[in-house]
Every structure is written in C-alpha cells, then in structure tokens.
Amino acid sequence: MKNLLDIYARKKRDIAAIEKELEETVYSDHSLLRDTSIHLLKAGGKRIRPVFVLLSGEFGSYKLQTMKHVAVPLELIHMASLVHDDVIDDANTRRGQLTVRSKWDNRIAMYTGDYIFARALEVITQIHKPEVHQIMSKAIVEMSIGEMEQIRFFFNADQTIRDYLLRIRRKTALLIGISCQLGAIGADAPEWMSTKLYNFGYNVGMAFQIRDDILDLIGTEKQIGKPPGSDIKQGNITLPVLLTMKDPAMKPMILTELERIHKLDGQTDVSRFLDLIRGGTGIKEADRLSQCYIDKAITALDKLPDIQAKKDLIEVAYFIGNRSY
Amino acid sequence: MKNLLDIYARKKRDIAAIEKELEETVYSDHSLLRDTSIHLLKAGGKRIRPVFVLLSGEFGSYKLQTMKHVAVPLELIHMASLVHDDVIDDANTRRGQLTVRSKWDNRIAMYTGDYIFARALEVITQIHKPEVHQIMSKAIVEMSIGEMEQIRFFFNADQTIRDYLLRIRRKTALLIGISCQLGAIGADAPEWMSTKLYNFGYNVGMAFQIRDDILDLIGTEKQIGKPPGSDIKQGNITLPVLLTMKDPAMKPMILTELERIHKLDGQTDVSRFLDLIRGGTGIKEADRLSQCYIDKAITALDKLPDIQAKKDLIEVAYFIGNRSY
C-alpha cells in the first residue's frame, strides 16, 4: 500500500477526498450495515479503481466533484463483489482482516453486498450521461455471469487457459478497464481517448489478476493478507497451475494432489501442492504472460498526450506487474 | 392469478409483450444462470409491478417500447430481492414451486439474484432520464436496508407496529409506489400526476403486504403456494400478530408460543400459534388497516383524469385488498 501511495503521491489529496466520500456514502443509520460497511472500508485495499479514474480524468477537463461520482461507485461495486465472493469461497480473511461472513455470517455478508451495491448505484446517478450507465451496467452483467461461472470450474482440471482468461476478464479486467474509460468520459475526454484508456485498464487488470494468482502461490501470509494456497483450497485453479500441468512429468502428481484436496473439501494442508507448483515452470510462464499484458497496456497509451497522468499510469502499471503484495 | 388477469384483460397484449421481454432479458448463454432465471420467471407471480407501470403510463403518452424498459427492470428487481430473501428465510417453496436455494443451493441463489439484478440495471439504462435512475436507486437502497433490518426483528416480540410498517414500506410499498411513478415519468406525464400515482402505488403496496401477511396466517397451502405459518417459522412477526398481542389476555400465550418456536428454530408444528392468532382480533384489525391503505390509495387518484386506466387501477387496488391468493 505504501509503495503504491508513493507512486501516486501527486493525487494524494484527491484520493483522500474519495476515501472520505466512500465512508460518507456507505454511512447508514442502521448500525449493523454501518459496522459491516465500515469494516470493509477499513480493511483497505489498493483503491486501484479510484486511482485509475482520477488519472484517466486528467485527459479531459478534470473536476474532482465529477471524478468522485465515478470513482466511488466503481470501488463500491468492487467491494460488493468481494463480500459476495467471500461467501462463495468460505473465506475467513482478506487483506489480513476477518471477512464479513466470518466476523458476522453469510447472510449478513450477502445483504451487506446488496447494500453497498445499491449505494454505488445511487452515487452514479449523479452522472447524467447515458453511456456511463450503459457501460457500467454491461460490465456488471458480465461480472455477475463470471461469479456464477467460477463455481462451475472449481476443482475442474479439464479447464483450458482460455477458460481461465475469460474468468479473470469478467472477475477483474473489465471493471478496471471501465474505471479508466469512465474516468475519461466523466471528464469529457474524446471517445478515442476513453477507448485507449479502456484498453490500458483492461490489460492492466488481466496482469493484476494473474499477479494476484501468482502471489497466492508464492507469497507469505504477511504479504498477501491470507494464507498462501487459499485459491486451491477453494478449488480455484489458476494460470500457474494450468501452465504447470502442461508438463507431462508434472501433470499426474498435480492431479493426484488436486483430487486429494478436493476430496477433503480444501480442509487440508496444501504445502505439497504448493511445492509442486513452485518446482515447475508455470509460475515463471504466468509471470511472463502478465508482463505481456502490462506491455500491451502501456502500448495502448502510445498516442495519448504526454501529460503527467500518462507517466503515472505507466508507473502504476509497472508496479502492478511486479508487486509482491 | 386468473382473477387478476380478468381485471386487466384490456392490457393483455402488452403484458404478454413484457413477459416475453422478461424472458429475453434474463436469457444467458450460461446454462445454469438460464435455468435458475427461467425457473424463477416460470414460477410466476402476479406481475403487479409491470401492470402498474403500464396503467400509470396511460396518464402520459404511452409507448409500449418505453414502458417495457421501465416495467421489466422493476419486476426483475423484485425477483432478485425474492431470491435473496429465500436464502435468508431458508424458504423451500414459493408460489407452490421449489425456490432456487432449495432446488440448487444458497450460493447459486445469491449469484442468481446478483445476475437478475444486473440485467435489470442494464435494461433501465435505455431510459435516458436522470430522475428515473435517481428514484430507482434510492428505492433500491431503502430496500437493501430493509433486507438487513428484517434480520434484526426476527423473533423480536418487542418490536412496535411502527417497526413493522417501516419494514413493509421498504420491503414492498416503495417498489410498487415507484412502479406507478416511473410508469408515468416514462410516459412524460406531468410531475403532479406521477406524484399522485406514487402515492397510489405506495398505499396499495402497504395494503398488499398486510394482506400477504394475513394470508400466511389464514390461507391454505394451495391458496398461498407455501405452508401457512411460514412467516412465524422464519421469525417474521407480522401485523396481525402484533395486534393480537395488544390483548393482555392473549399476549402471554403468544409469547410462550413464540419462544417455543424460536427455540426450535422454526422446525416445529405451528398450528397452536395459528389457532391463537385466528382466535384473536388481530387479523380483523389488520384487515381494517389494509382497507384504510386501499382507501388512501384510491383517494390519491381523485384529481387524475377519468381515463380507463384510472378505473383499472381502482379495480386492481380493490382486488389486492380482498385477494385470497
């Protein structure tokens, strides 16, 4: 978190304004909703989406008031989807904090997600541009299909790399893509710019998720805020695993481990599985693909004017591609 | 259902068009989402919200295409909230059909709700009127607060009648109110008309929910599509119960029953409880209050032009106040 803040120290004041707006938006007279929502906000996160909104807005006529009304809903939609995901994943911690479902219960998590999502919609109505609502709602539909889709692939060793890429597209890349796009549209930047910025965000999002999935395999609990191997315990087979399984010498051993973990419903030590993957070439190959997405992202910015925001976007992209937390 | 259709036979063709649009809207290439969504649609429902949109639209310049884009999201938002409610209520049947959570599971029900809700948002973006989005999103926030709020009052015998009324306002009345309002706004009716129509719908909605809660106590399983007493099994203390408890002779017996049912988490025969309530005056008093809301609703229409839609709205209101299913 600190590193990233250093990178975009220039926008610190506006990011703080958005942080305040996030809190005010989810504030409720209802004490339980207030508690669960504030718990979620305080658990932090990198606020990548708001930062991308702000930086993309600089390609048009930047007004903080408008940027807030774009950035806050995007971050809240992200948060709402995380709470619902935690229910599916039986996740107990996220970012080193107890999840809503573990601190309260699954039902409260479901309704907290509904509430935060509703608040997000309320804020975005302040933007009176039909295309903003259309772009956002289409992304939300895709995200919700992705949510359901992931269930189908839990512990499914027959899935292809394409299945994985489509999943992370819906889960992560689309929302980051439209964060850039809507930031630009909100600031009345020309359409060709908002499209380029979408491409930038989309590709950064793909890299971001791949990096996330790598970190789940090689990071320490301190770095990633949850025990390593959480993905496979939930049945989530990620890119490094799929790539490692391409090696005929590795595949049978991984399948045996997968089957064992599946049978025990993830309630087991997964260090043998982690050792297997760490011993193969999948992590390195996944990292290479992630770097390709970063390169694509940066190329998408080529024709955009060389303002400070462009340099910042590039820096954030490099940070994301190499982050270890 | 048939009775209601008789009442608004005049709009049959347009209602059929909306039914078709509902199906097309939730259609997905994703087989599980398609199955769960179509299951929900086929389980039926009275389609009160679309009917109110259509009738209210006749006070302006009625265009079916626009009406569809208002009616479909409102019905879908209603459906999405029902699926999430079924998760909270552990409900196994609704309208005589298995619920999504019982036919599939709670997680699939949660994501089906998210998906249907997302589809609703996608459709409403076709309406380019900021006030439509603002009215809708505010109602959705209230509904989501109401969802969480109901948990707090499960088996809570200290709640007041005001608590109950606030709950059904959020749960039911607001969405029916805005169905009328947005139907009128969608058809460019003047603001004073859409406000009157909101008042009509809101009061009908209050009556509707009170009637629903009465039917849960006095209806047969065939009439109400779920076993009678379902509310109290879930801990939902409704108006007739609260009114009956005002009688000092009844209160201790009801409290004893409530405590027993609570201890057994609703997994028990509730016929003694039903007999107690049926033997008191609470049902009759609740019915009287419901009739007051119907009267208020009809009064709200006073100054509106005497077109056929007004007669139809009045008829639907009377139907709702007296329905036995």
Side-chain angles (χ1 to χ4, degrees), chain A residues 30 84-85 88 90 107 110-112 114-115 117 122 125 128 133-134 137 144 147-150, chain B residues 30 33 84-85 88 90 107 110-112 114-115 117 122 125 128 133-134 137 144 147-150:
Chain A
H30 192 285
H84 280 190
D85 275 349
I88 298 299
D90 287 327
R107 291 157 188 208
M110 182 176 78
Y111 280 163
T112 298
D114 289 355
Y115 168 74
F117 192 65
E122 198 182 18
T125 61
H128 297 177
H133 301 281
Q134 278 155 7
S137 68
S144 72
E147 287 180 335
M148 191 69 106
E149 187 72 351
Q150 68 180 353
Chain B
H30 192 286
L33 279 174
H84 281 190
D85 275 348
I88 299 298
D90 287 326
R107 289 155 189 208
M110 182 177 78
Y111 279 164
T112 298
D114 288 356
Y115 168 73
F117 191 65
E122 198 183 17
T125 61
H128 298 177
H133 301 281
Q134 279 156 5
S137 67
S144 72
E147 287 180 334
M148 191 69 105
E149 187 72 351
Q150 66 178 354

Side-chain angles (χ1 to χ4, degrees), chain B residues 124-138:
Chain B
I124 198 73
T125 61
Q126 311 252 11
I127 305 283
H128 298 177
K129 291 186 176 180
E131 74 266 40
V132 167
H133 301 281
Q134 279 156 5
I135 290 167
M136 197 175 235
S137 67
K138 277 190 203 316

Side-chain angles (χ1 to χ4, degrees), chain B residues 23-309:
Chain B
E23 275 187 43
E24 286 172 11
T25 303
V26 299
Y27 184 86
S28 164
D29 288 336
H30 192 286
S31 59
L32 180 54
L33 279 174
R34 197 170 57 232
D35 291 350
T36 55
S37 304
I38 295 295
H39 175 81
L40 274 170
L41 272 182
K42 296 286 177 199
K46 300 175 195 73
R47 307 288 190 251
I48 297 279
R49 293 152 197 84
V51 168
F52 279 169
V53 170
L54 295 181
L55 294 176
S56 300
E58 293 192 30
F59 289 90
S61 55
Y62 184 97
K63 288 188 203 75
L64 178 58
Q65 197 54 23
T66 315
M67 291 299 106
K68 269 198 226 171
H69 294 152
V70 177
V72 165
L74 286 162
E75 185 66 12
L76 292 180
I77 288 167
H78 168 61
M79 278 175 54
S81 82
L82 291 187
V83 202
H84 281 190
D85 275 348
D86 287 340
V87 173
I88 299 298
D89 297 342
D90 287 326
N92 289 320
T93 54
R94 183 185 282 276
R95 296 168 184 156
Q97 307 280 331
L98 285 179
T99 56
V100 172
R101 67 158 289 284
S102 101
K103 192 167 174 183
W104 288 274
D105 67 32
N106 274 341
R107 289 155 189 208
I108 288 174
M110 182 177 78
Y111 279 164
T112 298
D114 288 356
Y115 168 73
I116 291 177
F117 191 65
R119 284 289 186 200
L121 297 178
E122 198 183 17
V123 176
I124 198 73
T125 61
Q126 311 252 11
I127 305 283
H128 298 177
K129 291 186 176 180
E131 74 266 40
V132 167
H133 301 281
Q134 279 156 5
I135 290 167
M136 197 175 235
S137 67
K138 277 190 203 316
I140 292 168
V141 167
E142 284 297 313
M143 283 175 76
S144 72
I145 296 174
E147 287 180 334
M148 191 69 105
E149 187 72 351
Q150 66 178 354
I151 297 182
R152 184 154 74 94
F153 284 113
F154 280 157
F155 287 113
N156 180 339
D158 293 330
Q159 66 185 291
T160 63
I161 286 170
R162 203 172 158 272
D163 292 327
Y164 168 85
L165 293 175
L166 183 56
R167 195 156 74 238
I168 67 169
R169 167 192 156 83
R170 285 172 165 151
K171 180 181 178 176
T172 307
L174 279 175
L175 195 66
I176 296 185
I178 69 163
S179 296
C180 296
Q181 186 182 17
L182 296 181
I185 294 176
D188 299 314
E191 201 190 327
W192 71 268
M193 284 196 192
S194 65
T195 304
K196 296 273 181 205
L197 286 162
Y198 170 82
N199 288 333
F200 168 81
Y202 175 83
N203 285 294
V204 167
M206 294 295 284
F208 182 88
Q209 190 58 52
I210 294 173
R211 189 73 203 152
D212 221 54
D213 294 343
I214 291 173
L215 288 173
D216 182 75
L217 295 160
I218 64 167
T220 61
E221 177 152 4
K222 207 178 158 209
Q223 283 173 322
I224 60 177
K226 58 179 182 175
S230 295
D231 281 338
I232 201 61
K233 286 187 179 190
Q234 292 150 15
N236 184 13
I237 300 176
T238 57
L239 184 61
V241 179
L242 292 171
L243 289 169
T244 312
M245 281 202 295
K246 288 198 147 188
D247 179 348
M250 301 290 284
K251 190 170 177 178
M253 291 185 285
I254 296 175
L255 284 180
T256 307
E257 264 300 286
L258 275 178
E259 208 174 318
R260 188 186 67 81
I261 298 167
H262 191 186
K263 263 190 192 145
L264 297 165
D265 214 16
Q267 304 296 310
T268 178
D269 181 72
V270 294
S271 47
R272 160 115 180 104
F273 176 83
L274 293 178
D275 286 343
L276 275 173
I277 303 297
R278 288 170 189 160
T281 56
I283 289 171
K284 213 171 156 189
E285 287 169 47
D287 191 54
R288 212 173 299 140
L289 185 57
S290 157
Q291 296 304 326
C292 285
Y293 280 113
I294 294 292
D295 291 345
K296 262 202 208 172
I298 290 170
T299 306
L301 299 180
D302 267 359
K303 298 210 171 117
L304 290 180
D306 286 318
I307 58 175
Q308 182 60 39

